[in-house]
């Protein structure tokens, strides 16, 4: 069994991005500029946004954090999005999810200019992705594809079972892995799937993105399978000073001995999610997706 070290791969890719940034500076060009909008004080969102800002600093990207209280109105947030869309100094921006309940996330996402949508959540980017056109890919699926590609993991003709059908992970990774170049045969499973364990047992590649701690059991995994664990679940751990630890959607201790490759939590897909956001921001700066 080999651990797919998402943190190490992230550091490698960030080093490559830093070289590109240095080159842009030498040419007197603008460095990539990412803006993050953070509404409210969700503790997990705080961590995620600070990870993104810190990664920008590591790579020489410019970054700006716009913080607003949880009671900001939807109109005011839409105005911020509008201003970011029209600011030529900004290559890309994200509005950190989840948003407070009185704000319609779909409406905010629709207001983002697809050219600056480095999270790849706008339906225009989703539709382009699904049609195989140049698009900003959602960061988690993009990170997973890079993990597979950069570790030379064969995907063509493999049976991939995706567990979870969210708009930002399960659904897009199913589409992407079935596309030309990856050429998987994909089964998309979810909470209403009959005999989920039976489906997962047939998988050469498992993508677990259901959001339930330790959901995928040892006896669900075929010998030699590749296991990609997308889960970032906080569970109580009184031995930690934070009071919690992170666990994935995969029962790591039971599954790891059976598989050929596995991503750890933490330090697996999550780290690559942040780096994929930076890769998208570089593409926005380079006008690679939308000329
Ligand atoms: C790690 C996210 C659910 C909902 C909204 C590194 C991150 C997480 C874990 C991170 C995530 C998850 C992010 C690790 C960003 C990934 O070492 O395991 C980095 O910062 N993520 C997000 O912005 O929004 C989310 C998960």
């Amino acid at each position: 069994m080999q651990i797919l070290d998402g943190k190490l791969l992230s550091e490698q890719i960030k080093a490559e991005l830093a070289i590109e940034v240095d080159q842009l500076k030498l040419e007197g060009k603008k460095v990539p500029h990412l803006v993050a909008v953070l509404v409210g004080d969700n503790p997990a969102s705080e961590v995620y946004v600070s990870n993104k800002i810190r990664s920008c600093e590591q790579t020489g990207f410019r970054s700006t954090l716009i913080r607003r209280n949880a009671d900001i109105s939807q109109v005011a947030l839409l105005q911020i999005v509008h201003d970011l869309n029209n600011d030529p100094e900004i290559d890309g921006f994200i509005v950190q999810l989840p948003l407070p309940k009185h704000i319609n996330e779909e409406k905010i996402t629709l207001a983002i200019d697809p050219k600056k949508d480095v999270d790849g959540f706008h339906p225009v980017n989703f539709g382009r992705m699904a049609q195989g056109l140049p698009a900003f890919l959602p960061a988690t699926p993009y990170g997973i594809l890079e993990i597979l590609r950069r570790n030379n993991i064969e995907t063509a003709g493999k049976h991939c079972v995706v567990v979870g059908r969210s708009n930002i992970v399960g659904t897009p990774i199913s589409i992407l892995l079935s596309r030309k170049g990856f050429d998987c045969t994909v089964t998309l499973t979810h909470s209403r799937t009959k005999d989920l364990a039976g489906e997962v047992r047939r998988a050469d590649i498992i993508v677990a993105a259901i959001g339930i701690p330790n959901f995928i059991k040892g006896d669900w995994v075929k010998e030699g399978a590749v296991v990609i664990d997308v889960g970032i679940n906080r569970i109580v751990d009184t031995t930690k000073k934070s009071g919690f630890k992170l666990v994935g959607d995969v029962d790591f201790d039971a599954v790891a001995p059976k598989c050929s490759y596995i991503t750890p939590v933490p330090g697996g897909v999550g780290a690559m999610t942040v780096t994929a956001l930076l890769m998208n921001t570089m593409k926005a700066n380079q006008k690679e997706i939308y000329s």
Side-chain angles (χ1 to χ4, degrees):
M1 182 272 302
Q2 205 181 312
I3 301 271
L4 295 167
D5 187 336
K7 188 159 192 296
L8 179 67
L9 183 54
S10 283
E11 299 304 327
Q12 284 166 357
I13 294 171
K14 283 189 270 188
E16 294 168 12
L17 289 170
I19 291 169
E20 290 182 53
V21 169
D22 287 340
Q23 191 58 39
L24 288 171
K25 284 183 183 162
L26 281 176
E27 295 166 1
K29 295 184 177 141
K30 282 180 187 162
V31 304
H33 183 189
L34 174 69
V35 174
V37 181
L38 176 57
V39 178
D41 52 9
N42 178 311
S45 294
E46 297 271 353
V47 173
Y48 299 153
V49 168
S50 55
N51 287 343
K52 293 168 190 180
I53 301 289
R54 185 157 35 84
S55 293
C56 284
E57 285 163 3
Q58 282 177 346
T59 45
F61 284 25
R62 188 173 161 198
S63 64
T64 304
L65 172 56
I66 299 179
R67 263 179 182 282
R68 290 295 181 267
N69 293 331
D71 63 2
I72 187 176
S73 71
Q74 180 167 292
V75 168
L77 187 56
L78 285 168
Q79 183 62 49
I80 291 173
V81 168
H82 177 82
D83 292 345
L84 294 170
N85 284 341
N86 292 304
D87 186 340
E89 293 292 308
I90 295 163
D91 294 299
F93 65 97
I94 64 149
V95 179
Q96 183 67 39
L97 302 183
L99 289 168
K101 285 186 298 292
H102 67 280
I103 295 176
N104 183 337
E105 288 183 355
E106 191 193 327
K107 197 148 187 201
I108 301 299
T109 303
L110 278 171
I112 298 173
D113 183 342
K115 296 181 178 61
K116 294 195 178 190
D117 171 37
V118 287
D119 256 341
F121 292 168
H122 192 288
V124 164
N125 279 312
F126 190 98
R128 293 176 62 99
M129 177 273 298
Q131 293 192 351
L133 297 169
F136 290 114
L137 302 183
T140 301
Y142 189 13
I144 293 169
L145 297 182
E146 286 297 298
I147 289 172
L148 295 171
R149 211 172 55 75
R150 290 181 179 246
N151 286 284
N152 297 311
I153 294 172
E154 182 63 76
T155 54
K158 301 294 182 189
H159 184 196
C160 176
V161 173
V162 176
V163 184
R165 55 180 157 184
S166 71
N167 287 337
I168 64 174
V169 184
T171 300
I173 196 67
S174 299
I175 294 168
L176 288 162
L177 284 173
S178 63
R179 294 201 59 79
K180 250 195 194 40
F182 288 96
D183 300 298
C184 286
T185 303
V186 176
T187 300
L188 177 50
T189 69
H190 46 76
S191 56
R192 301 293 297 271
T193 296
K194 282 182 188 157
D195 190 19
L196 188 53
E199 295 294 341
V200 173
R201 274 187 200 109
R202 296 167 55 221
D204 303 308
I205 302 173
I206 300 165
V207 177
I210 188 99
I212 302 173
N214 301 319
F215 184 71
I216 307 289
K217 309 300 178 202
D219 67 347
W220 296 18
V221 176
K222 181 166 76 181
E223 202 69 42
V226 175
V227 177
I228 306 294
D229 190 351
V230 182
I232 311 276
N233 306 292
R234 288 183 169 201
I235 65 164
V236 173
D237 183 346
T238 50
T239 71
K240 301 268 178 168
K241 61 173 183 248
S242 62
F244 68 86
K245 66 172 176 178
L246 292 183
V247 302
D249 291 350
V250 175
D251 181 351
F252 185 92
D253 294 339
V255 168
K258 302 190 74 177
C259 49
S260 55
Y261 295 91
I262 188 166
T263 62
V265 178
V269 172
M272 278 301 293
T273 294
V274 176
T275 299
L277 175 67
L278 267 57
M279 293 193 279
N280 276 343
T281 305
M282 178 59 88
K283 286 185 197 288
N285 171 276
Q286 295 296 300
K287 308 218 175 340
E288 237 182 273
I289 307 292
Y290 298 95
S291 45

